[in-house]
C-alpha cells in the first residue's frame, strides 16, 4: 500500500523549499528596484561637448541645387496628378496640382538662361489643355489627349530639363552686398 500522508508531506516540503529559494534569489533585484539612486545631474551637465559649426552655402546662391529641388517636386506632383486622373478626383484638386507644378516651373525659370526658359514654357504648354478641360465633366473630357500630353510632359521633362542635362545653362547668382551705415 502507498502511504499518501508521506507523499503529502514530501510535496509540501518541496513546495516550501521552492518558494524559499525563489524569494531568496530575488531579494537583490527587489532591493535594487525599490532603492533610490543619487542624481548625477551636476556631473553630466559639466560634460557638454562643443561642436564646430559647419558652413553651408546660402540656398539662394546655389541655382543648381534649387533647380534640382524644384525638379524633384515637379516629379512628385506629376505622380500625384496621375493618381488623381486614375481615381477621378475632383477638378479642384487637379487644378491645385497643376498650379503647384506651374509654380515650380516659374521658380525654375528664374534659375536658367533664355533657351532653357523657352523649354520650360513649352513644358507649361502641355498642361494648358488639361487646365482648360477641368471645367468639363469627366465624360466630356478628352482623356486620351490628356494622357498623351502628360506622357509627353514627363518625356520632355526627363529628356531636356534634367539638371545634369542643362549644366552650364544656369544663371549665375551674385550675392547682394550688405549696405554699411556710417
Amino acid at each position: 500500500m502507498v502511504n499518501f500522508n508521506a507523499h503529502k508531506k514530501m510535496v509540501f516540503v518541496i513546495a516550501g523549499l521552492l518558494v524559499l529559494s525563489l524569494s531568496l534569489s530575488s531579494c537583490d533585484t527587489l532591493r535594487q528596484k525599490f532603492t533610490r539612486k543619487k542624481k548625477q545631474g551636476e556631473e553630466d551637465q559639466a560634460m557638454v561637448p562643443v561642436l564646430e559649426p559647419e558652413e553651408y552655402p546660402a540656398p539662394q546662391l546655389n541655382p543648381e541645387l534649387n533647380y534640382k529641388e524644384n525638379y524633384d517636386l515637379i516629379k512628385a506632383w506629376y505622380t500625384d496628378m496621375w493618381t488623381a486622373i486614375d481615381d477621378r478626383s475632383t477638378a479642384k484638386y487637379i487644378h491645385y496640382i497643376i498650379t503647384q507644378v506651374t509654380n515650380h516651373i516659374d521658380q525654375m525659370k528664374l534659375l536658367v538662361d533664355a533657351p532653357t526658359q523657352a523649354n520650360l514654357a513649352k513644358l507649361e504648354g502641355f498642361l494648358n489643355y488639361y487646365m482648360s478641360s477641368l471645367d468639363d465633366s469627366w465624360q466630356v473630357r478628352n482623356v486620351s489627349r490628356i494622357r498623351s500630353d502628360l506622357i509627353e510632359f514627363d518625356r520632355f521633362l526627363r529628356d531636356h530639363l534634367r539638371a545634369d542635362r542643362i549644366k552650364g545653362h544656369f544663371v549665375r547668382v551674385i550675392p547682394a552686398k550688405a549696405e554699411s551705415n556710417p
Side-chain angles (χ1 to χ4, degrees):
M1 280 234 177
V2 178
N3 188 359
F4 289 110
N5 287 334
H7 286 297
K8 285 183 185 179
K9 286 182 184 178
M10 185 66 100
V11 170
F12 281 122
V13 169
I14 291 175
L17 288 173
L18 184 65
V19 169
L20 181 66
S21 67
L22 288 176
S23 65
L24 290 177
S25 67
S26 65
C27 284
D28 289 336
T29 57
L30 284 175
R31 238 182 280 131
Q32 288 176 358
K33 184 175 182 180
F34 291 110
T35 56
R36 292 187 183 205
K37 295 180 181 176
K38 293 181 182 179
K39 293 184 179 179
Q40 299 175 357
E42 294 175 9
E43 296 169 6
D44 290 343
Q45 290 177 357
M47 191 76 176
V48 176
V50 177
L51 301 175
E52 294 294 323
E54 193 170 324
E55 294 288 328
Y56 293 104
Q60 63 270 21
L61 300 179
N62 193 348
E64 188 172 355
L65 179 66
N66 290 342
Y67 186 90
K68 284 179 184 178
E69 288 175 0
N70 284 311
Y71 179 87
D72 291 338
L73 289 170
I74 286 175
K75 293 296 282 183
W77 283 113
Y78 176 78
T79 57
D80 287 350
M81 193 179 324
W82 273 107
T83 305
I85 289 173
D86 292 339
D87 294 344
R88 293 185 176 226
S89 296
T90 62
K92 188 175 182 180
Y93 179 64
I94 296 171
H95 180 68
Y96 174 75
I97 292 173
I98 293 174
T99 304
Q100 291 299 316
V101 171
T102 54
N103 286 344
H104 289 296
I105 290 173
D106 290 339
Q107 290 175 9
M108 289 165 72
K109 283 181 183 178
L110 301 174
L111 304 171
V112 292
D113 59 0
T116 310
Q117 287 178 359
N119 283 341
L120 287 168
K122 190 183 296 184
L123 195 65
E124 281 180 328
F126 291 119
L127 299 175
N128 287 340
Y129 177 77
Y130 193 25
M131 183 73 101
S132 64
S133 70
L134 286 177
D135 296 331
D136 301 334
S137 67
W138 276 102
Q139 293 81 14
V140 178
R141 290 182 196 165
N142 188 354
V143 179
S144 62
R145 176 169 175 198
I146 292 170
R147 288 180 187 269
S148 67
D149 281 354
L150 289 179
I151 290 170
E152 188 60 32
F153 173 90
D154 184 47
R155 187 177 301 128
F156 192 78
L157 184 67
R158 277 183 290 131
D159 293 344
H160 300 289
L161 296 171
R162 275 197 335 235
D164 60 343
R165 298 269 173 124
I166 62 165
K167 281 197 189 278
H169 293 283
F170 292 107
V171 176
R172 185 169 170 249
V173 178
I174 301 171
K177 293 183 180 179
E179 296 179 19
S180 60
N181 292 331

